[in-house]
Amino acid sequence: MRRSFQAGMFMEKKIETKPEMAASRFHENSPRVLSSPSLITFMQTICADLMAPFLDPAEMVVSVRMEMSHLASTPIGSTITVRAEIDRIEGNKVYFKIDAYDEVEKIATGYNDMFIINEERFERGIKRKLEADSQK
């Protein structure tokens, strides 16, 4: 593992919200605004994107804890900015602080804890699980 990443490093991304990201996609009685599941996906993805240049080819990252407060609604068609910052590192575990804004205000804040794992070992574990499930 390359160890050149450190606490304080951050990444920002701008994302244009689209109809498939709307809360109404998940439930007919929900409004046509950016959904929490979409926002969580963006927050997790930017953390993984921040880590990607520092991983060896045999490594990947997985989220093990995600916490988000969705503070304000964002109309579909708006552009949001998601910012992830490495808060601290403990061995193979990386802790992120994440904030998201639309053109008007902060819309979300949260935390994502990720582990750096060996991809081959992870895939072997998934394969064993699938084989055990198919024998039921």
Side-chain angles (χ1 to χ4, degrees), residues 12-18 21 33-35 38-43 46 70 72-83 99-108:
E12 282 188 4
K13 285 197 172 186
K14 292 192 179 298
I15 301 158
E16 183 181 335
T17 60
K18 297 181 166 77
M21 302 170 185
V33 296
L34 180 63
S35 69
S38 295
L39 192 49
I40 287 170
T41 298
F42 300 144
M43 294 172 99
I46 193 170
H70 200 157
S73 296
T74 299
I76 295 302
S78 299
T79 298
I80 64 167
T81 302
V82 181
R83 182 182 196 277
D99 293 305
Y101 301 84
D102 61 18
E103 292 107 338
V104 177
E105 62 191 330
K106 182 187 265 192
I107 60 167

Side-chain angles (χ1 to χ4, degrees), residues 13-65:
K13 285 197 172 186
K14 292 192 179 298
I15 301 158
E16 183 181 335
T17 60
K18 297 181 166 77
E20 59 268 18
M21 302 170 185
S24 56
R25 175 178 163 238
F26 296 96
H27 192 276
E28 63 188 40
N29 292 330
S30 294
R32 196 172 177 278
V33 296
L34 180 63
S35 69
S36 294
S38 295
L39 192 49
I40 287 170
T41 298
F42 300 144
M43 294 172 99
Q44 287 180 309
T45 301
I46 193 170
C47 294
D49 289 347
L50 176 55
M51 293 301 302
F54 304 103
L55 300 175
D56 288 333
E59 294 176 322
M60 61 190 326
V61 290
V62 294
S63 290
V64 294
R65 184 181 76 94

Side-chain angles (χ1 to χ4, degrees), residues 9 38 46 56 75 84-85 98 101 114 117 120 124 128:
M9 293 179 77
S38 295
I46 193 170
D56 288 333
E85 180 176 339
I98 316 152
Y101 301 84
M114 300 185 101
I117 63 170
E120 185 179 313
R124 279 195 314 265
R128 278 192 305 272

